[in-house]
Amino acid sequence: MNIEQIITTLNQYVDELEGILHRFKKTRDGLNIDLEDGYRLREIAIELADYIRDHIPNSIHYASMITQYYNQGITNWLGSSSYASVRDIQGVAKSLIKRIERNPSLFETSPEKIKVQNEEKKKFEGIEIITNRFHAVVMQLRQRHNGRNTLDVNDEYDVQDLFHALLTLFFNDIRKEEWNPTYAGGASRSDFLLPEINTVIEIKKTRKSMSTKELGEQLLVDIAKYKKHPQCSRLICFVYDPEGRITNPRGLENDLSNCDSDIDVRTIIVPKHI
């Protein structure tokens, strides 16, 4: 498929999602999706994610965002997709169209770019599962029989320990990374290097004493740092925000994903509070 055909297909999905948004019905319980549109939205989320993986190089993170937004959209008592989730999926498609229009060289074969093979794809899907379900795992761990002791995620080290344990489900070689910059007033942290896929995972947890601006600045420092790392072709910045301290998580994700042409960067914030 050529670039024009890909953009046309993505625009068709954007238009179809716009139609679904217009058909939401307002009731005293909120905005509700039409039943048939709910079924179709699930199909669109699967189709779009597969289409991106199959036809658009170095864009797997867009496919993951679509899956993540769809899953988050049905986490309500009705189990039906929210208006915000449809809008967010549409926003991912629009952003991808802009990216292709601004950077058509994305489709050119480059020896510097590492292609994601089938085995690598499975590994990335494992990371996607961990990030999508991380908050649910934290909540479940608190439900122990007879109130027995458990791991409660209170700080960044707890997030690291739990994330490390979950990574062992998909990776045999997980290395603690010590290429950490010194932040003013902050302790040195360890990130995870996954040599099997040349990827580093940066772990953060929001806290009252750290503003969204400071968080963004720290992540930018990490991005600049890891693009010089000899084994890092991709950087995943995982931010755990259980209290909803980040006021615009999608905006921060978009600003800090693919913000550097020298390294494939994806920022994931969970859970997203609408």
Side-chain angles (χ1 to χ4, degrees):
M1 294 187 113
N2 59 41
I3 294 177
E4 290 73 19
Q5 289 173 319
I6 289 173
I7 291 176
T8 297
T9 300
L10 291 174
N11 273 318
Q12 288 171 349
Y13 280 115
V14 168
D15 292 342
E16 188 173 0
L17 289 166
E18 187 66 27
I20 291 175
L21 287 169
H22 282 305
R23 288 191 292 274
F24 265 78
K25 295 179 180 177
K26 187 174 183 179
T27 68
R28 64 180 183 180
D29 295 322
L31 288 171
N32 296 312
I33 193 170
D34 178 81
L35 183 61
E36 292 300 320
D37 282 341
Y39 293 141
R40 177 56 187 151
L41 181 63
R42 178 178 175 81
E43 293 175 351
I44 289 174
I46 295 171
E47 290 172 12
L48 254 179
D50 287 342
Y51 187 82
I52 292 168
R53 292 189 184 102
D54 293 342
H55 297 290
I56 307 175
N58 304 308
S59 299
I60 191 172
H61 51 287
Y62 285 90
S64 298
M65 281 192 288
I66 287 170
T67 302
Q68 182 177 343
Y69 288 148
Y70 176 80
N71 289 336
Q72 288 175 346
I74 58 174
T75 56
N76 52 63
W77 67 278
L78 290 173
S80 61
S81 297
S82 68
Y83 185 93
S85 68
V86 180
R87 184 191 59 204
D88 289 335
I89 292 170
Q90 185 190 51
V92 172
K94 287 181 177 179
S95 298
L96 186 52
I97 291 169
K98 287 289 185 185
R99 183 186 182 208
I100 294 170
E101 290 174 340
R102 292 172 179 172
N103 185 23
S105 62
L106 183 70
F107 292 85
E108 297 174 3
T109 302
S110 172
E112 289 78 25
K113 289 290 183 180
I114 299 176
K115 295 181 180 179
V116 178
Q117 304 297 335
N118 288 336
E119 198 58 37
E120 280 188 319
K121 182 178 177 181
K122 292 178 183 177
K123 300 287 187 181
F124 279 105
E125 288 173 347
I127 295 175
E128 181 182 337
I129 291 170
I130 292 172
T131 56
N132 285 344
R133 303 302 299 163
F134 187 86
H135 186 59
V137 172
V138 172
M139 295 296 99
Q140 184 59 44
L141 279 174
R142 294 175 180 172
Q143 308 302 317
R144 289 297 313 279
H145 180 71
N146 287 336
R148 295 184 181 187
N149 292 334
T150 187
L151 169 65
D152 199 1
V153 179
N154 294 313
D155 59 28
E156 203 163 271
Y157 293 108
D158 293 334
V159 179
Q160 289 175 7
D161 290 342
L162 179 55
F163 205 98
H164 191 174
L166 294 172
L167 281 173
T168 61
L169 294 170
F170 302 98
F171 296 90
N172 295 317
D173 189 359
I174 305 167
R175 305 180 189 180
K176 287 287 188 77
E177 268 302 296
E178 303 292 347
W179 279 39
N180 295 310
T182 301
Y183 299 121
S188 175
R189 303 165 333 282
S190 293
D191 309 322
F192 301 112
L193 169 66
L194 307 174
E196 299 167 58
I197 55 173
N198 293 323
T199 296
V200 168
I201 299 180
E202 166 80 15
I203 303 291
K204 288 190 178 294
K205 182 183 181 298
T206 57
R207 58 184 186 274
K208 187 176 180 180
S209 61
M210 180 171 62
S211 67
T212 300
K213 180 182 178 182
E214 182 182 356
L215 172 65
E217 290 172 347
Q218 288 187 9
L219 289 173
L220 286 173
V221 170
D222 291 327
I223 291 166
K225 169 191 66 175
Y226 276 115
K227 76 178 184 179
K228 300 176 183 177
H229 193 295
Q231 288 182 279
C232 180
S233 297
R234 306 176 185 91
L235 174 64
I236 297 174
C237 302
F238 177 74
V239 181
Y240 187 46
D241 183 30
E243 296 91 5
R245 299 187 186 280
I246 300 174
T247 55
N248 183 12
R250 292 171 187 80
L252 187 60
E253 282 182 338
N254 291 336
D255 289 344
L256 294 176
S257 293
N258 285 323
C259 60
D260 195 302
S261 59
D262 294 327
I263 187 173
D264 189 5
V265 180
R266 183 184 171 203
T267 302
I268 306 168
I269 301 170
V270 297
K272 292 180 183 62
H273 300 265
I274 298 175

